[in-house]
Amino acid sequence: DVKVTQSSRYLVKRTGEKVFLECVQDMDHENMFWYRQDPGLGLRLIYFSYDVKMKEKGDIPEGYSVSREKKERFSLILESASTNQTSMYLCASSLRQAKNIQYFGAGTRLSVL
Amino acid sequence: QKEVEQDPGPLSVPEGAIVSLNCTYSNSAFQYFMWYRQYSRKGPELLMYTYSSGNKEDGRFTAQVDKSSKYISLFIRDSQPSDSATYLCAISMTTDSWGKLQFGAGTQVVVTP
């Protein structure tokens, strides 16, 4: 079974803090994605990566950055957390050959106070 | 206008009833259609995957695509309380190199015993 593991289920941070969300997948997937999920808005793509050290902006990249130093690990960074970044963050991965089939982690619920 | 529209519900049905879910989309370039199920406090899991028009059946689940109307549906027969979850439609374009998905907002389904 594919496993996508997000390091924290719940996080509480203060405004202005630098926040790191970590995601690890164990199936050698080339593609990895970060989404945020908000009520009524569904999942919105923040950033994705199709290879080590490669990244592309999604639909809502402002206020975020990412890092992919190893194939299995994809990090989302909030440089200076703000209250409007309070959300559920979901990581996903997919094989290049089956690019549309994404496997998700359990999510990190981030609260910024 | 959102690229994918989905009624957020909640949709409440008695056990054993047929659950009918649908999404509409605006761009005819979308060719891949997926349904994800998300239980409370969990990440989405892929339920059904189809491409182009037609029906696909998997046990109690049937996915239907009508490209002429830009309309996709998911039917759940003989619904069970364990089917209570949020159902998300997701679509993707063939021209997208990375398999980026556009998600609907999700419909919450409650199956009452």
Side-chain angles (χ1 to χ4, degrees), chain B residues 25-82:
Chain B
Y25 61 95
S26 56
N27 192 333
S28 57
F30 289 121
Q31 294 281 341
Y32 297 98
F33 308 95
M34 286 135 284
W35 286 95
Y36 282 82
R37 177 176 62 195
Q38 185 176 22
Y39 290 114
S40 181
R41 292 185 292 278
K42 300 278 190 182
E45 57 177 331
L46 183 66
L47 202 57
M48 298 286 283
Y49 173 85
T50 62
Y51 59 92
S52 198
S53 283
N55 290 0
K56 182 175 181 178
E57 196 171 307
D58 183 1
R60 296 185 295 112
F61 299 89
T62 300
Q64 196 172 75
V65 175
D66 182 348
K67 288 185 66 186
S68 62
S69 303
K70 299 190 185 68
Y71 192 88
I72 62 173
S73 302
L74 178 70
F75 301 98
I76 308 173
R77 290 185 299 280
D78 187 25
S79 58
Q80 305 295 312
S82 58

Side-chain angles (χ1 to χ4, degrees), chain A residues 34-84:
Chain A
W34 274 107
Y35 296 87
R36 62 177 284 176
Q37 184 176 28
D38 300 289
L41 297 178
L43 276 73
R44 292 179 292 165
L45 182 64
I46 304 171
Y47 265 98
F48 68 99
S49 168
Y50 53 91
D51 205 345
V52 174
K53 297 192 186 296
M54 306 305 289
K55 61 185 179 184
E56 292 284 341
K57 292 179 180 179
D59 298 320
I60 51 163
E62 297 79 17
Y64 304 94
S65 62
V66 290
S67 172
R68 193 163 180 204
E69 296 297 317
K70 293 186 177 181
K71 190 175 184 180
E72 67 271 19
R73 188 179 297 270
F74 192 34
S75 302
L76 179 70
I77 304 152
L78 286 66
E79 296 288 343
S80 178
S82 63
T83 55
N84 63 13

Side-chain angles (χ1 to χ4, degrees), chain A residues 5 36 80 102 110:
Chain A
T5 303
R36 62 177 284 176
S80 178
Q102 295 184 15
L110 173 67

Side-chain angles (χ1 to χ4, degrees), chain A:
Chain A
D1 276 355
V2 176
K3 189 147 185 179
V4 180
T5 303
Q6 294 185 231
S7 55
S8 304
R9 293 299 308 274
Y10 301 95
L11 273 180
V12 180
K13 297 291 181 181
R14 298 228 175 258
T15 303
E17 277 193 76
K18 190 168 186 175
V19 182
F20 293 85
L21 303 182
E22 306 287 341
C23 176
V24 176
Q25 50 93 4
D26 67 356
M27 285 302 292
D28 205 33
H29 285 177
E30 293 87 358
N31 302 329
M32 296 189 75
F33 305 82
W34 274 107
Y35 296 87
R36 62 177 284 176
Q37 184 176 28
D38 300 289
L41 297 178
L43 276 73
R44 292 179 292 165
L45 182 64
I46 304 171
Y47 265 98
F48 68 99
S49 168
Y50 53 91
D51 205 345
V52 174
K53 297 192 186 296
M54 306 305 289
K55 61 185 179 184
E56 292 284 341
K57 292 179 180 179
D59 298 320
I60 51 163
E62 297 79 17
Y64 304 94
S65 62
V66 290
S67 172
R68 193 163 180 204
E69 296 297 317
K70 293 186 177 181
K71 190 175 184 180
E72 67 271 19
R73 188 179 297 270
F74 192 34
S75 302
L76 179 70
I77 304 152
L78 286 66
E79 296 288 343
S80 178
S82 63
T83 55
N84 63 13
Q85 292 179 309
T86 290
S87 186
M88 168 72 91
Y89 289 88
L90 290 161
C91 175
S93 70
S94 68
L95 270 173
R96 185 169 294 148
Q97 302 97 303
K99 60 186 179 181
N100 296 299
I101 300 177
Q102 295 184 15
Y103 297 87
F104 284 83
T108 297
R109 187 165 293 280
L110 173 67
S111 296
V112 182
L113 306 177

Side-chain angles (χ1 to χ4, degrees), chain B residues 65-108:
Chain B
V65 175
D66 182 348
K67 288 185 66 186
S68 62
S69 303
K70 299 190 185 68
Y71 192 88
I72 62 173
S73 302
L74 178 70
F75 301 98
I76 308 173
R77 290 185 299 280
D78 187 25
S79 58
Q80 305 295 312
S82 58
D83 294 325
S84 298
T86 297
Y87 291 81
L88 300 144
C89 62
I91 55 180
S92 181
M93 296 187 192
T94 51
T95 52
D96 189 291
S97 302
W98 318 118
K100 293 200 304 290
L101 303 180
Q102 295 290 334
F103 284 87
T107 300
Q108 185 185 1

